[in-house]
Amino acid sequence: MSFLIHYSEIALKKGNRSFFVNKLAENIKIALKDLDDVGVKKLSGRLLCDIRFPTFAAGNRISIVEERLKKIPGIANFMPAFEIVLSGAGAADMESLKQAVVKEIADRKFSSFRITAQRGDKDFPLTSEEINRELGAFVAREIGARVDLENPEFTVFAQILRDRIFFGFEKTKGVGGLPVGSSGRIVSLLSGGIDSPAASFMMMKRGCRAVFAHFHSFPYLDYSSQQKALELSEILNSYQYGSKLYLLPFGKAQSEIATKAPEPYRTVIYRRLMLRVSEKIAEKEKAGALATGESLGQVASQTMENISVIDKSVNLTVLRPLIGFNKEDIIKIAREIGTYDISIMPDQDCCQLFMPKHPVTKADIKITEKIEKDFDIPKMISGILGKAEIKIL
Ligand code: ATP
Ligand code: MG
């Protein structure tokens, strides 16, 4: 079976398009590597993925392939496709197209249809419009269905290239964006909440490979947040493959902060420490930025002042892809990517440990730095990193 794959914004890249296309082809191969004999070929402006299924298993496997392709960043859409190799004689090629299309749709039931032809190669003797009309008339006559351009029950897509035609009937939308790995790496701070998995996905869709970092308060709290982080990483892994999750024990540091720091500043200090630990992980993983799921004003710790103070704890850029998103939009993303149901499960999140009753909303950098003078921050960071557990997915 062949899948014709159209890529997304890569089409707009001029000079280094082949870098992006190669990355996408590589990612597709990785996503399908457990299926037999997968080949990904570059054609002009698109990719062709060939998979040799044994016919007895084809039905089920097509849907497996579709489920995976739907999640690969960089794919705009894809379609199971049939191929006709062109002879160069226009009339004969048109005849082959007609016969092949009618053969493939013979056992499908529909009463109206349209043809959507696209001529990528202008040497083909008929224009797209002429192909639509000629093929449409033929199908209408052979199948006994009527043409409906506005609201067809069935669509025949035909793509005419220089040396071949592909046609198919079901185009599936992909997630779009850029292939994972084309923009570099990030360390994504992954809580068990709704926002950070959505933020991770947003960054992966912009071509980042995400390394996940989760802070937990085990054994002060139970294991549930780690379990959630692991399940969330598994779902996110289906968008990038080969993920890594750092599980970082944060309870001891929290307890120290809760003992010594003024209560309203606790959350800001926790957050700054999380970023510092993540920055060290970034160094080790050769990641160029951090990412969080913060959205401006969503909770007390996410005011502009607090975010500014939190940012100043590290040198790396902190990306916040959800900063301007409303909660309902974030929930929509979480539902689409499949993380929502896990995120809403109750857990003992580290933020619940020693949480201040009245957190500061306008944190001040001078006050924050003065409070931190009481702590041996490098020691806290290495204490956490020394006990980190790494899960490879
Ligand atoms: P989320 O829905 O992602 O949990 P939130 O609305 O609960 O976010 P905060 O608790 O203020 O907001 O957390 C802000 C961001 O800090 C999170 O989106 C996440 O990136 C990071 N973060 C918070 N807690 C943790 C944690 N335990 N481990 C890793 N990152 C965390
Ligand atoms: Mg949270």
Side-chain angles (χ1 to χ4, degrees):
M1 186 76 231
S2 297
F3 291 82
L4 193 62
I5 299 171
H6 280 97
Y7 29 80
S8 189
E9 292 166 43
I10 300 171
L12 307 173
K13 309 266 173 207
K14 283 216 180 79
N16 46 4
R17 184 191 298 187
S18 69
F19 165 74
F20 288 91
V21 176
N22 290 340
K23 196 53 117 186
L24 180 58
E26 199 182 294
N27 291 353
I28 293 170
K29 272 193 217 151
I30 292 171
L32 303 176
K33 75 168 186 288
D34 57 327
L35 303 171
D36 357 81
D37 257 346
V38 178
V40 181
K41 263 194 291 214
K42 288 193 265 178
L43 303 177
S44 73
R46 65 214 89 205
L47 290 170
L48 184 71
C49 174
D50 282 312
I51 305 172
R52 256 177 291 282
F53 294 132
T55 40
F56 64 86
N60 178 25
R61 292 210 185 176
I62 289 174
S63 59
I64 292 175
V65 173
E66 286 173 343
E67 278 314 303
R68 297 200 194 161
L69 293 182
K70 257 202 297 210
K71 295 181 166 183
I72 298 179
I75 294 182
N77 61 64
F78 63 90
M79 169 176 88
F82 303 93
E83 183 175 351
I84 299 167
V85 176
L86 297 181
S87 66
D93 288 333
M94 194 58 208
E95 191 55 32
S96 312
L97 175 65
K98 288 183 200 166
Q99 296 301 339
V101 167
V102 164
K103 176 170 166 264
E104 294 302 336
I105 58 181
D107 51 2
R108 303 201 184 218
K109 303 250 172 303
F110 55 89
S111 57
S112 64
F113 74 100
R114 67 166 290 162
I115 311 286
T116 302
Q118 217 180 20
R119 197 175 53 147
D121 183 74
K122 303 296 173 211
D123 286 346
F124 194 75
L126 279 73
T127 64
S128 306
E129 245 339 285
E130 287 164 344
I131 299 166
N132 287 344
R133 249 181 278 130
E134 197 173 323
L135 183 57
F138 186 78
V139 169
R141 202 168 57 237
E142 294 291 313
I143 304 286
R146 73 192 154 77
V147 172
D148 182 346
L149 298 181
E150 295 299 319
N151 219 348
E153 272 174 45
F154 190 79
T155 301
V156 178
F157 297 97
Q159 303 261 328
I160 292 86
L161 306 187
R162 192 179 49 79
D163 55 354
R164 53 190 125 183
I165 297 179
F166 290 98
F167 68 89
F169 317 116
E170 281 114 18
K171 248 189 205 178
T172 305
K173 212 164 164 284
V175 294
L178 299 171
V180 165
S182 64
S183 305
R185 279 169 183 246
I186 54 160
V187 172
S188 195
L189 281 82
L190 189 69
S191 70
I194 297 169
D195 305 341
S196 44
S200 303
F201 168 73
M202 298 281 286
M203 294 319 306
M204 295 191 298
K205 197 157 64 82
R206 296 313 302 160
C208 293
R209 167 162 289 281
V211 175
F212 305 113
H214 173 71
F215 295 86
H216 64 82
S217 308
F218 187 82
Y220 297 80
L221 299 177
D222 70 13
Y223 186 76
S224 55
S225 85
Q226 290 178 77
Q227 183 56 35
K228 272 174 86 175
L230 186 59
E231 285 175 30
L232 291 168
S233 306
E234 273 162 6
I235 293 177
L236 293 168
N237 187 48
S238 61
Y239 296 89
Q240 67 170 10
Y241 296 89
S243 307
K244 225 185 223 187
L245 166 67
Y246 280 75
L247 294 169
L248 303 144
F250 203 56
K252 186 158 172 277
Q254 280 181 292
S255 124
E256 195 183 334
I257 293 165
T259 322
K260 291 204 270 185
E263 190 174 326
Y265 268 79
R266 275 180 201 165
T267 317
V268 168
I269 311 251
Y270 292 163
R271 215 46 104 230
R272 281 166 60 93
L273 184 58
M274 282 185 186
L275 288 192
R276 285 171 167 135
V277 172
S278 305
E279 189 176 47
K280 288 279 181 221
I281 296 173
E283 207 175 286
K284 189 174 146 222
E285 296 287 345
K286 299 191 170 52
L290 308 178
T292 73
E294 285 155 313
S295 142
L296 190 63
Q298 195 191 81
V299 289
S301 58
Q302 298 176 15
T303 60
M304 200 190 295
E305 291 82 356
N306 289 8
I307 287 180
S308 307
V309 168
I310 292 167
D311 249 4
K312 292 198 172 72
S313 59
V314 288
N315 289 319
L316 272 188
T317 300
V318 182
L319 300 168
R320 295 181 169 88
L322 303 179
I323 198 71
F325 277 57
N326 299 335
K327 193 75 191 186
E328 72 239 45
D329 300 329
I330 300 173
I331 290 176
K332 191 160 167 263
I333 297 171
R335 283 190 197 280
E336 278 167 11
I337 62 174
T339 52
Y340 182 77
D341 290 339
I342 294 171
S343 291
I344 57 168
M345 276 163 33
D347 69 339
Q348 294 194 343
D349 182 74
C350 75
C351 297
Q352 296 160 12
L353 186 66
F354 313 125
M355 208 170 61
K357 276 201 203 70
H358 301 289
V360 65
T361 52
K362 290 187 173 18
D364 178 275
I365 185 66
K366 290 214 176 72
I367 299 174
T368 309
E369 285 173 348
K370 188 158 171 278
I371 297 169
E372 286 180 349
K373 287 227 161 68
D374 276 348
F375 297 92
D376 186 345
I377 305 253
K379 192 171 159 212
M380 290 167 103
I381 296 172
S382 55
I384 294 167
L385 284 172
K387 294 204 170 68
E389 195 189 331
I390 303 172
K391 301 266 186 203
I392 309 277
L393 299 149

